[in-house]
Structures are given as C-alpha cells and as structure tokens.
Amino acid sequence: MPRFSVIVPVFKVQGFLRECLDSVLGQSFDDLEVIAVDDCSPDGCGAILDEYAARDPRVKAVHLPENVGLGRARNAGLPHATGDYVLFLDSDDRYTPGLLRAVADRLDATRDPDILVFDHVRTHWWGRAGRSDAAGLLEQAGADTFDVRRSPEYLRLFLVAWNKAYRRDFFLGHGFQYRPGLYEDAPVTYQTMVTAERIACLDRVGVEYRQRRQGAITRTPGRRHFDIFEQYEGLFAFLAERPGLDWARPLLFERALDHMLFAVARPERVLRGDRKEFYRHIRAFYRRHVPPGFTPPPDSRRAEIRLLALVPHHRAHLGLGLWRRGGKAAARTASRLRALVARHAKRSWYRVQLRRPLDPRLAVYSAGHSRAVNGDPRAIHARAAELAPQVRGVWVVHPDALDQVPQGVECVTTGSWRYYRVMARAAHWFNDCNWAGDLVKRPGSVHVQTHRGTPLKHMALDLLDRPGARHGTNVRGMLRRSDRWDVSLVANRHSEEVWQRAYPCHFASVRSGSPRNDVLVSGGGGRAAELRERLGVDARETVVLYAPTLRDYRRGRHDWRVDLEALTASLGPGHRLLVRLHPSLARHHERALVLRDLHRRGALTDVTDEPHVEDVLLAADALVTDYSALMFDYAVLDRPIVIHADDWAAFRATRGAYFDITAEPPGHVTRSDEELAKAFTSGAWRDEESARLRAAFRERFCEYDDGRAAERVVRRFLLGEPPEATAAGGTGDGGTGDGASSGDGREAGGVVRIPRALDRSARRPQLR
C-alpha cells in the first residue's frame, strides 16, 4: 500500500499534462501512485496517459466513457486509490520539488491527522505571483493539530481540492463526493474541514497553480456560475443530516454568502445582464438558511450581508448594486478626500515647523528605507548614546516596521505629525538610503549618508546604460534626493571613487570606515555565541554562511544558483549551513518554496530574518556568496570566503560591475555545484592560496575599518571635534575626498557645518 494516492482529473490539457505528471513522478518521495482520470478528453491526453502508464508502474490510467466534469472525474478516481492519503491535483498545475517528502514528514510528526493543508503560488501566463492570502494562517498554525470548532479562522483557507492531503479512511468513511458543476470544491472543502477532528498545516508552497490566459472556467463569464447555489444547497443539506454540526451553521452560512458576493462582483464571472437574477438567488438563499440570531463577523463582507437582511426581496439586487456602485465608490472617494485633507494639513504643519529654529541636540536615524533599525545608522546611534547623550536620537520607521524598534528607543512613523515636526527641527540626519522626496534640507543641518556597504554592482548614474537593471528606478529623482547629502561615509578609496561618480552631487567624502563593522573588528564579545546558541548550533560545529544577491536578469530578481541540499551534503557532519537571502527577498515565494522547507527538515538554518547581519557574520566560520556586498564586510573578520560565480557573465552584462570579482576575489572562485562541493571536501576553502587572496582583498577594501568608525562619526558630527582628531588610520587629512574640501567646513552649534552650493544646476548631471 503506497503512502500517497494522487488523483489527477484530465481534460483538454495536453500542453500541460506532461509537466504535471513529471512534477509528481519526479518527487524525491516515491512511495506513491498516480490515478490519472481521462475525462473523455478530445485531444491527445488519453494517449499521453497510456504512455506514462506503460513506462511507470506507479501510474494507472482510467478512461471514462463520457465527459462527466471535474468533480465527478475526481470521484471516479477514488475507488482506484489504495494509499494512506489521497491528494487531488488539477492536470494543468504541478507540484513543487520536495513537496511530498515535506508532506510525509509533517504527517509523521503530527501522527496522521485527518487533513493536512499546504500552500500554493499562482503562476500566471506572464510569470509567478506571490503566495496565497492564507500564508499567514499556515505559518501561525505551527506544528500542532487543531479543529475548526476551536479555530474557525481556518475556514478561510483557499477553497480548492488540491491544497490538501486527506486521510483516505477519513475521506471515504464519511462518503465525501464532489458534485457536478462549477464551484464543486467548496462544499467538500467545508464538509471535510468541519468534520475533521485533527487538521495540520504545512507552511510550504506545494502547488504551482497555473492561471491560464484562456480556458480558465472561473474567469469565463456565463450562466455556469449559477452552479454556486446548488453547490451550497448541497452543503446545507449535508449539515441538516448531521445535527452534531449545528455549531458550524453560522460559520458556513457567512462563508457561503461571502463566496456568492465575491462571484457576483466580478464581471469575468457573472454577466451584467445576469446580476439581477444572481442577487435574487443570493437573497433567497439567505432567507432559507439564515441561522437564528445570525450576526456577520467583523472581518466579513459585513455591510453587504446586513443589506441582504434589510432590503426587501424584490429590491435586493438594487440595494447591493447601489452599495457596490455607489456606497463603496462614495466610501472610497470619502477615504481619498480624508487622506488628501490630512496630507495637506500635515504639509502645512511641516511648513510651520520649518520656520522654527533647528535643534542642534536632535538627530534622526533611518535604515533600510525606514523598515529596519540596523546597519551603520544603528551603530552610530548606539555610540552616540554613550559619547553624546545630550543629543536626542529619534528613529524614523514605517508603520509596518514598528516591531523592529528595540524597547526604549524613541521613534516616529513616516507621514505622522511627529515625523514632520522632528524632520523639520533635526540638525543631524543619518541614513543608509535616501530620505523621502518631500522633505526639505534646511541650511545648517547636516545629512550624513552612510550607504549600505561597498559597491560591486553599478549604482545610480551608472545604471543609465543598464536598462534592465534600472527598470522601475527613477535615477533622476534619486540624484535629486542625493543632492541633500552633506557627507558620504566610505570604508575604502574604491567606495569613495564610485560614490563620487555614481552620485555626482555636492557632498564631502569622509574616510571613516563602516560603523556597522566596528563590532566585526572588536570580535563582538559574546554576540556570536549567543546567536549560535539561539540557532541551536553546537560550539564545535563549523558554520558556513551562504548569502546570495539579487539577479536583475530574472523575473522576481531571484534565482537559486546553488543546490542547497547538495552543498549541505558536501559539507558533511560537524558543519552547519546558514542561508541569508537579500532583505528584499524575505517574502519572496521561492523562500517558502525551498528554503523554509529545508530549514524545518534541519538540512540548513534560514537566517534571513535575523535583524542584525553583523551577528550572523560573527557566527560564521566561512562565507559562500556570489556578488553580495556582504563579502566586503566579512573580509574584516579575515575568515575564508568562497565566490560562487557560475553566472558572472550574465550578471555583469545585466547589472554591470566596478571590477571583475573573479579576477580579484577574496578567495577561491567556483562555477558549478561540483566545484563548490569540491572546494569544501578538498579543504581548499581555507588553504594558503585562499589566505593570500583574502589578504590582498582586505588590504584594498578594509582600509579604514579599524573598529572606531562609529566613534569617529559621533565625535566629528555630533561633538564637533576637528577632522584631524578623528581621522581614520592612514588618511592623514581626516578623510575628505575630492568632492569637497574639509577646510570649507565651519563649526557652529557644536557640529561641523558644510556649506551648500548656492547653484547646483551647474554640476547636476544631464540624464538621458
């Protein structure tokens, strides 16, 4: 008896069928059978199924004598299923690699629940979209099982057959059957969910749900969408036969109305001429099945459902139509007007604040586009608290990032009243990105740009010749915002030269070193040990960090260039692989598709969400990266680095690079999974040649990182100490580059004041 029976109903999908079947048969977990049901398909699907059945004994082709539709084709496959669990897969969709292994592991861990639910990602004909709206529910479920009576929110999981594994005895024992017609998934989904005593979730993308450009039934308008009423009548007939499920009636009644109102609102489903009749059906359903004392929950289509109870039957369609066309439109208009008025009021408030004097004891900090509290600004803020406690430090954060702010740290949210007041009064600005374009750079204030590492790939003005890489980037606006910089902090002369060319604006380059790297120079005390302990890494394990960067030549800017399972295997016992994606990919569906699953299986440790990358670098004994700027920071530690550059030519052609990292690397360069594995199995990753390459790299790019960068910035710009007193080692003149002379500065109000040019247009670049 196999562990899984995968039932695949097949009809007019010959262009997708092989891909679907291969995604199942190619799974790493092969204790399965495939029951492929040919629903009398008029194309070549039947022959394809026979071909697969002839060469793979796990495939059984079932040919129906007549077309019965999707739901009944699934039913036809059930008698042939012998597995412990039954899964359904539509024949134009496909499983993601490793899904069935992950499902099997979770079933074992939860002791064979009635149902296991997993996630999906939509694959449109033009490319992939994000995860489902239920991803948060799957994540919060954790490893425990539950039932819907105690956790009713799980009725909001996606209403389909193919995102679940059903215990076969449970499914067949209750006699669940799909009804003919459209929306056949809904009744069975709800019947199984309210009947199941133990439900488990797997927070993993398991199905690529294909959104075809043509042929999708749910996006083909017509009378078939009236099938929804018969489907839900069947659901409530099921409930009527089972008094023990009376508790579920209000929940399922609200879900049914929500589904019906969702369908009628979409012109790709219900034709305009049919909407009046469709509303009458909704109203009739409401009157037949409304539970006594029913009150719609706050998170439902509450106003529309209430309108069904209030509006007379013959005017129901008019009332709901007016709500949709008038009420909702009016609400949206009113909301926009309120937002416009509030924005205008705040701008007026901001202009008033700009007339008030600057506060020399107020500094503002921002990092990661105001979505983080980390990096160079964080290091400067922490050092300022020690050396310049009289200067009040306020962080600017996006409302969605308030959880990133440590306890006891003062902050304001972007766009708030306090935000505009603080930004108008602050004499010191510290940021590793650019401030919002509506903020005014006041004379006498000092804006310190820390950047986000040493540049390898092209930035700003240099992107003009890279149309693919600059897609969606307003270079002209970027440079206008950069005109507000007074100071650019640099860790090496390479960065100084690049920033002055890429950002041809009026600022002084200060050779300070990278403040965030001070902790790498000092060793971080016990921070590495603390992180290792929290991650469950044994003190004797060798930790290898893999940190890939973005790919501008790929849709979604992500591409797995390393076989993570193979790399883990090559490292062998006594090693731990940490993986950190670029912050912008933290919510990318590929992370859920591959990385989270490997993390849960213990094959590696995902550290993408660790707030402070410095701790991750300190904890790692070696770094594997492609073209990430983290290599320049990690080099400060003088630990082995391996560059995996299998697509260097494509990356350089698309994004551009300031030097050839394969010719001047900080360690050995690999160009295939086999070469990468060999670098570790042979010990080359830490041999003498690796040390020689790293030494040359450190000499060039860690020039000013001496552990005092944050102190140097605080003393110079918050305490007003002279440049020569705070110079980085080897700079001599206190660290101003050719962009401006340090002698042009003057001290006033306890800080270095760098005058702004009166006419910037003469030096502003001409953009193509």
Side-chain angles (χ1 to χ4, degrees):
M1 180 187 297
R3 185 61 164 157
F4 298 128
S5 296
V6 182
I7 298 176
V8 183
V10 178
F11 183 73
K12 294 178 67 173
V13 287
Q14 62 180 2
F16 309 107
L17 183 55
R18 293 180 186 276
E19 189 176 7
C20 171
L21 295 174
D22 289 343
S23 76
V24 181
L25 299 173
Q27 291 281 311
S28 57
F29 185 91
D30 61 0
D31 185 15
L32 59 91
E33 63 180 1
V34 176
I35 296 100
V37 182
D38 173 18
D39 191 16
C40 202
S41 184
D43 55 8
C45 287
I48 294 173
L49 295 183
D50 290 339
E51 173 192 332
Y52 272 78
R55 71 169 187 244
D56 194 322
R58 296 175 297 170
V59 179
K60 181 173 184 179
V62 178
H63 299 278
L64 300 182
E66 60 180 359
N67 177 254
V68 297
L70 179 59
R72 287 191 288 180
R74 289 184 186 135
N75 297 338
L78 281 169
H80 301 276
T82 62
D84 298 329
Y85 278 82
V86 174
L87 297 88
F88 300 98
L89 179 65
D90 288 357
S91 48
D92 55 352
D93 298 336
R94 60 185 177 184
Y95 281 159
T96 61
L99 169 69
L100 294 185
R101 167 60 65 186
V103 170
D105 291 346
R106 179 53 60 87
L107 291 174
D108 291 342
T110 51
R111 302 184 306 282
D112 287 357
D114 298 324
I115 306 173
L116 175 71
V117 188
F118 44 86
D119 204 2
H120 71 277
V121 61
R122 291 177 184 267
T123 304
H124 296 276
W125 59 271
W126 64 84
R128 276 182 179 170
R131 294 183 65 181
S132 73
D133 294 337
L137 284 173
L138 296 175
E139 184 174 1
Q140 78 180 33
D144 297 330
T145 59
F146 58 89
D147 61 68
V148 165
R149 188 166 189 171
R150 287 189 294 252
S151 302
E153 65 273 17
Y154 284 90
L155 285 177
R156 296 178 179 273
L157 292 171
F158 203 45
L159 280 176
V160 289
W162 41 255
N163 66 348
K164 303 172 185 72
Y166 294 106
R167 188 164 52 81
R168 184 169 63 93
D169 291 345
F170 162 76
F171 198 90
L172 296 180
H174 285 279
F176 298 124
Q177 289 277 300
Y178 290 95
R179 298 170 63 88
L182 208 56
Y183 301 102
E184 79 292 337
D185 302 69
V188 174
T189 295
Y190 287 140
Q191 289 169 13
T192 57
M193 292 291 282
V194 299
T195 306
E197 296 179 0
R198 297 176 61 245
I199 303 171
C201 289
L202 175 63
D203 182 20
R204 188 189 194 283
V205 172
V207 175
E208 292 196 46
Y209 174 34
R210 191 185 300 274
Q211 305 286 280
R212 284 192 274 165
R213 189 166 181 265
Q214 294 178 342
I217 298 175
T218 55
R219 290 191 300 279
T220 303
R223 297 285 300 181
R224 290 194 62 187
H225 292 278
F226 282 80
D227 290 351
I228 195 171
F229 300 107
E230 186 175 349
Q231 298 289 2
Y232 279 107
E233 288 294 339
L235 172 61
F236 276 79
F238 171 87
L239 294 176
E241 296 171 357
R242 293 163 176 81
L245 294 178
D246 284 348
W247 61 268
R249 280 180 169 274
L251 299 173
L252 296 181
F253 180 71
E254 183 273 331
R255 290 286 79 206
L257 292 177
D258 182 271
H259 198 179
M260 296 170 186
L261 292 167
F262 172 88
V264 74
R266 273 143 185 81
E268 70 272 17
R269 299 196 182 196
V270 180
L271 293 166
R272 179 181 294 274
D274 291 335
R275 288 181 189 169
K276 181 177 179 180
E277 182 182 354
F278 203 93
Y279 282 130
R280 284 202 302 269
H281 279 75
I282 297 176
R283 175 68 177 173
F285 180 89
Y286 183 97
R287 298 182 67 175
R288 278 195 302 274
H289 297 294
V290 59
F294 172 73
T295 301
D299 56 348
S300 69
R301 300 172 191 271
R302 192 167 187 169
E304 296 172 80
I305 292 175
R306 282 182 169 174
L307 202 59
L308 288 169
L310 296 174
V311 179
H313 173 72
H314 65 283
R315 296 183 61 81
H317 74 281
L318 179 60
L320 285 168
L322 287 174
W323 165 259
R324 292 197 178 279
R325 295 191 298 274
K328 280 194 171 181
R332 285 195 298 268
T333 301
S335 177
R336 285 195 294 266
L337 284 174
R338 284 194 298 270
L340 186 63
V341 170
R343 191 159 54 246
H344 178 74
K346 289 174 184 176
R347 297 281 174 79
S348 299
W349 161 260
Y350 181 46
R351 287 193 292 270
V352 171
Q353 296 300 310
L354 287 171
R355 293 197 289 270
R356 299 180 63 188
L358 286 170
D359 185 348
R361 297 193 175 191
L362 177 59
V364 290
Y365 299 85
S366 181
H369 302 285
S370 297
R371 293 184 177 273
V373 179
N374 58 21
D376 292 313
R378 173 177 173 265
I380 296 169
H381 176 256
R383 202 73 177 109
E386 300 172 6
L387 300 177
Q390 72 277 13
V391 179
R392 174 187 167 207
V394 179
W395 276 85
V396 174
V397 295
H398 191 275
D400 294 342
L402 283 172
D403 60 336
Q404 301 291 319
V405 183
Q407 189 173 4
V409 173
E410 186 178 358
C411 69
V412 296
T413 56
T414 54
S416 66
W417 295 88
R418 290 187 63 218
Y419 162 77
Y420 283 113
R421 181 176 64 192
V422 167
M423 296 310 298
R425 301 291 310 284
H428 319 283
W429 297 10
F430 297 93
N431 201 341
D432 62 5
C433 298
N434 256 318
W435 296 98
D438 63 340
L439 296 177
V440 176
K441 172 64 174 70
R442 296 183 65 180
S445 64
V446 176
H447 181 173
V448 177
Q449 170 60 231
T450 70
H451 303 287
R452 307 182 76 186
T454 295
L456 169 64
K457 52 197 173 194
H458 281 180
M459 308 290 287
L461 193 64
D462 293 329
L463 291 176
L464 290 179
D465 294 327
R466 308 284 172 178
R470 79 165 191 269
H471 177 70
T473 300
N474 182 357
V475 177
R476 191 186 299 270
M478 182 188 297
L479 293 181
R480 278 198 297 268
R481 291 190 292 274
S482 303
D483 276 333
R484 297 178 298 197
W485 301 354
D486 292 307
V487 174
S488 168
L489 303 185
V490 298
N492 47 65
R493 273 173 271 206
H494 162 78
S495 296
E496 185 176 321
E497 294 171 6
V498 167
W499 297 138
Q500 289 181 4
R501 182 172 76 244
Y503 294 93
C505 307
H506 298 279
F507 57 80
S509 294
V510 174
R511 299 170 178 175
S512 62
S514 297
R516 69 184 180 281
N517 287 347
D518 290 347
V519 68
L520 304 183
V521 177
S522 68
R527 289 172 61 171
E530 290 174 7
L531 180 62
R532 279 175 169 245
E533 182 178 0
R534 180 156 53 80
L535 296 177
V537 179
D538 190 277
R540 294 166 294 182
E541 284 187 287
T542 298
V543 175
V544 177
L545 171 64
Y546 173 53
T549 193
L550 304 170
R551 294 299 193 277
D552 292 296
Y553 64 81
R554 295 286 295 180
R555 184 183 298 275
R557 305 182 75 194
H558 175 74
D559 190 22
W560 291 115
R561 307 302 307 179
V562 167
D563 185 333
L564 296 177
E565 289 190 89
L567 177 57
T568 301
S570 69
L571 294 176
H575 292 74
R576 177 72 69 96
L577 180 64
L578 308 184
V579 178
R580 184 178 180 88
L581 299 180
H582 190 278
S584 66
L585 299 176
R587 296 188 60 80
H588 198 281
H589 59 264
E590 285 288 350
R591 184 183 178 197
L593 193 68
V594 176
L595 193 53
R596 284 185 177 174
D597 180 51
L598 293 174
H599 174 86
R600 291 193 181 92
R601 287 161 49 192
L604 50 78
T605 302
D606 179 6
V607 292
T608 303
D609 293 332
E610 286 297 322
H612 307 303
V613 70
E614 301 85 15
D615 294 345
V616 179
L617 298 182
L618 284 165
D621 298 300
L623 171 68
V624 177
T625 186
D626 34 41
Y627 323 116
S628 170
L630 283 183
M631 74 176 82
F632 300 98
D633 302 321
Y634 193 74
V636 173
L637 293 168
D638 196 17
R639 298 176 188 173
I641 301 174
V642 176
I643 300 297
H644 188 67
D646 68 320
D647 65 339
W648 173 242
F651 182 90
R652 193 175 190 182
T654 307
R655 180 61 188 252
Y658 292 113
F659 65 95
D660 187 349
I661 190 62
T662 64
E664 305 173 78
H668 288 293
V669 177
T670 62
R671 299 181 185 275
S672 67
D673 285 326
E674 293 74 20
E675 289 184 12
L676 181 58
K678 186 177 180 181
F680 283 94
T681 56
S682 67
W685 64 283
R686 53 182 175 185
D687 63 10
E688 292 183 3
E689 176 64 9
S690 171
R692 184 190 68 79
L693 293 169
R694 187 168 68 253
F697 192 85
R698 293 181 72 245
E699 183 178 0
R700 180 180 179 187
F701 296 110
C702 304
E703 189 174 3
Y704 308 135
D705 283 325
D706 59 1
R708 295 182 57 242
E711 177 184 349
R712 189 172 294 118
V713 173
V714 171
R715 290 190 180 280
R716 181 163 179 184
F717 297 107
L718 295 183
L719 298 179
E721 296 182 8
E724 55 272 13
T726 59
T731 62
D733 63 357
T736 38
D738 295 334
S741 168
S742 61
D744 291 339
R746 59 184 176 84
E747 295 183 22
V751 297
V752 177
R753 302 300 187 187
I754 301 176
R756 309 295 284 169
L758 296 178
D759 182 9
R760 303 180 185 194
S761 60
R763 293 184 60 184
R764 185 168 294 162
Q766 297 300 309
L767 305 185
R768 296 196 293 272

